[in-house]
Amino acid sequence: MEFDPRRLMKEHFGKTLKTSKPLVGEVDNNFFVETSDGDSFNLKIANPESSPESLDLQNKALAHLKQKAVPFLIPEVVPNEKGEYITTITDLAGRARFVRLLKWIPGRLWTEVCPHSRYLIQSLGQLAGTMSRSLSDFDHPAAQRFIKWDPSQASWTKVHLSEIEGNDRIKTAKYFLHLFESQAKGRLDLCRKGVNYNDYNDHNILVSSDLENPRVIGVIDFGDMVFSQTVNEVAIASAYAMMAKPEPLSVAMNIVEAFNGVYPLQEEEIAMIFPLIAARLVVSVTCSAMNRKEHPENEYLLVSERSAWNLLEKLKIIHPDFAHYAFRQACGLEPCPLNRDYQNWLDKNRLNIGEI
């Protein structure tokens, strides 16, 4: 093993380890560690491409959320013996690697919980709304970046769709990418922007141990934070919550309703939700196709692929206008935005129309 958690914990944090276990991850080296005094942590060793600025973004965002006293659990960064929140080490290749120690948050992962009740799904929407509201006054230079998982930047997938296996799947991905580019991309500037958490996937959402009425109690992994459209948070949370559901649109309506109850959505944002859900799913399946070729040994990188494809097939039979109207209804608005104009016209011209 290249990294020795026992040595790192003792040398930099003054803690004696009792046990340690490697954790799966997309790009970083992560370890669950338990000290001799019974405390548990996540020892995170960032990948060589990570910058100290991107890690400072995460640390500052977590501190900001803690100051806001958000009603859910988030990681807490532990300083090293020098009082630093980012520790620099050198790997076997002579590269600088950045280490952070975060307090362990107990809880079940969303993917381990079944069934997903309406109460549970709405608690996710409430958390996402609270997160966006709490981060609305937060900013950091490192958040101004391109990141492949940002639905607003999904057009990068266009040149990689050919790497998807199967013509039918390529056609499906092209259909939804066109939906995003024709119905959302050109109107994104009309939507609010802020620093987004950007990663409500089923391996980052923590659920309570309550078996009768479980609820979302926290989130982990803030590594994908980015300055982007706030409505993306609704789309991302919905995209993962909709997976493996017989009626995915109803699930998304629950997310939208709960998010809107905490942090009200604007009408232009509501119109973007369905295309942005699709955009995030296209990003996911495209990344899976690329990762299969580049990292065939890392099964974690393919963890959501089958569910994402199954969901895309279900979404193909939902007309985008119907989804838009459903989301408007979930926000307490008139489902069809043209209905009021039609009723006004009808009232003015009723005598000219005659009896029906």
Side-chain angles (χ1 to χ4, degrees), residues 54-314:
S54 66
L55 299 179
D56 185 65
L57 162 63
Q58 297 177 51
N59 291 351
K60 294 288 175 54
L62 290 170
H64 180 85
L65 292 170
K66 182 178 180 181
Q67 186 179 26
K68 293 279 186 175
V70 292
F72 52 84
L73 301 175
I74 54 173
E76 180 180 343
V77 188
V78 179
N80 62 22
E81 290 198 299
K82 297 179 181 179
E84 302 165 335
Y85 289 91
I86 300 175
T87 303
T88 304
I89 64 171
T90 304
D91 65 15
L92 295 179
R95 300 170 299 188
R97 302 290 290 269
F98 303 111
V99 179
R100 293 183 301 148
L101 186 67
L102 285 73
K103 290 185 178 180
W104 185 261
I105 304 176
R108 297 182 293 167
L109 296 178
W110 177 276
T111 188
E112 299 170 347
V113 180
C114 185
H116 292 163
S117 67
R118 184 174 186 272
Y119 175 74
L120 175 64
I121 292 167
Q122 288 203 319
S123 71
L124 173 58
Q126 291 166 354
L127 182 147
T130 303
M131 180 82 80
S132 292
R133 186 185 64 194
S134 300
L135 290 174
S136 62
D137 59 347
F138 172 76
D139 198 7
H140 193 286
Q144 306 280 348
R145 59 174 175 165
F146 166 82
I147 185 166
K148 64 183 181 181
W149 293 105
D150 180 1
S152 294
Q153 304 183 55
S155 291
W156 72 264
T157 62
K158 186 178 297 186
V159 297
H160 296 282
L161 296 184
S162 60
E163 299 183 47
I164 295 172
E165 296 179 358
N167 289 332
D168 289 343
R169 285 186 167 181
I170 291 176
K171 289 179 181 178
T172 296
K174 286 182 176 179
Y175 165 77
F176 282 112
L177 184 59
H178 174 72
L179 177 69
F180 161 71
E181 293 190 328
S182 62
Q183 295 197 9
K185 186 176 179 180
R187 300 158 61 192
L188 288 172
D189 287 343
L190 301 175
C191 300
R192 293 171 295 177
K193 299 184 74 174
V195 177
N196 289 350
Y197 167 68
N198 196 45
D199 204 7
Y200 290 102
N201 79 65
D202 44 9
H203 285 76
N204 287 342
I205 302 167
L206 298 177
V207 178
S208 67
S209 58
D210 182 1
L211 298 180
E212 291 189 5
N213 292 298
R215 69 190 188 284
V216 174
I217 58 173
V219 287
I220 57 175
D221 194 351
F222 284 67
D224 285 350
M225 299 191 80
V226 64
F227 184 82
S228 190
Q229 280 69 25
T230 301
V231 68
N232 286 339
E233 299 289 70
V234 184
I236 295 169
S238 297
Y240 288 97
M242 294 164 82
M243 291 182 181
K245 302 297 193 302
E247 298 182 5
L249 188 60
S250 295
V251 173
M253 288 177 68
N254 286 330
I255 296 285
V256 171
E257 178 185 3
F259 186 102
N260 182 72
V262 176
Y263 197 50
L265 292 160
Q266 299 172 354
E267 291 196 46
E268 194 66 40
E269 294 171 330
I270 298 170
M272 307 287 180
I273 295 174
F274 190 73
L276 288 169
I277 289 173
R280 175 68 179 222
L281 291 170
V282 170
V283 168
S284 179
V285 296
T286 304
C287 285
S288 293
M290 296 170 64
N291 288 330
R292 180 177 285 103
K293 295 181 179 180
E294 297 173 9
H295 305 284
E297 77 290 346
N298 193 339
E299 295 182 1
Y300 177 79
L301 299 178
L302 309 175
V303 68
S304 298
E305 182 181 27
R306 179 179 296 179
S307 296
W309 278 118
N310 289 341
L311 178 55
L312 284 170
E313 291 300 323
K314 290 180 180 179

Side-chain angles (χ1 to χ4, degrees), residues 322-342:
F322 182 78
H324 176 204
Y325 301 161
F327 295 149
R328 285 178 58 87
Q329 183 177 28
C331 293
L333 300 174
E334 177 76 46
C336 179
L338 299 178
N339 186 58
R340 183 176 300 173
D341 291 339
Y342 168 72

